Amino acid sequence: MREKINRILHSRWLTLGVAPLVIALISFLELQLSVSRIPFINAEMTVVALLWNLLFCWLLLVLLMVAINRAHVAMLVGSIVSFCLAIANYYVLLFHGAPLTLPLLKNTATALDVLDTYRFTLDKYSGMILVGFVVALGVVALLWKPNRGKAVL
């Protein structure tokens, strides 16, 4: 475990320093847009709460990087998961009036039955979530070097 931590601390600063912060920021913005339609701070969110939310997104990404042992794959998986959660939460909030929660997952069968009655459009907010996802994929693509060996961490 200590050797793995030393390899993380002595790896390239871009792959393990800047890129995870950028991906975490994009993930946070996607999730924030899906709930409040305001990218950074709304009236109820303080700067401290914003920093805690951003730190949480970053820690999840770092844990994923340690678990997968490949930074670019972890950032790709994290970007896909945050995009899926953000877009699902956006449309659930839009059509249901409440954010996506675990108890709502019990009603998935009912939701799928009435899904064809809804009209899904790409509006300004869902488009911004999609743009964030494309930017995150671009960051991962810039770091993707298939010839550099299996273990990144």
Side-chain angles (χ1 to χ4, degrees), residues 15-124:
T15 304
L16 297 175
V18 175
L21 287 174
V22 171
I23 299 294
L25 178 63
I26 292 170
S27 298
F28 169 73
L29 292 175
E30 288 174 347
L31 294 168
Q32 185 69 20
L33 275 169
S34 73
V35 175
S36 67
R37 294 173 180 77
I38 300 171
F40 276 106
I41 301 175
N42 57 23
E44 294 100 27
M45 184 177 288
T46 65
V47 174
V48 174
L50 177 133
L51 292 174
W52 276 111
N53 287 332
L54 185 57
L55 179 67
F56 181 75
C57 290
W58 180 77
L59 282 175
L60 286 178
L61 188 59
V62 168
L63 288 175
L64 194 60
M65 289 170 68
V66 169
I68 294 176
N69 200 26
R70 293 185 182 181
H72 57 281
V73 174
M75 287 185 277
L76 180 65
V77 168
S79 298
I80 291 170
V81 168
S82 69
F83 170 73
C84 291
L85 284 173
I87 208 73
N89 189 48
Y90 175 75
Y91 283 112
V92 167
L93 189 60
L94 183 68
F95 295 133
H96 186 64
L100 184 64
T101 58
L102 288 176
L104 280 180
L105 293 178
K106 291 189 310 185
N107 301 331
T108 303
T110 305
L112 291 175
D113 288 340
V114 298
L115 191 63
D116 60 343
T117 62
Y118 291 118
R119 182 180 169 147
F120 292 91
T121 58
L122 189 66
D123 62 359
K124 177 171 69 170

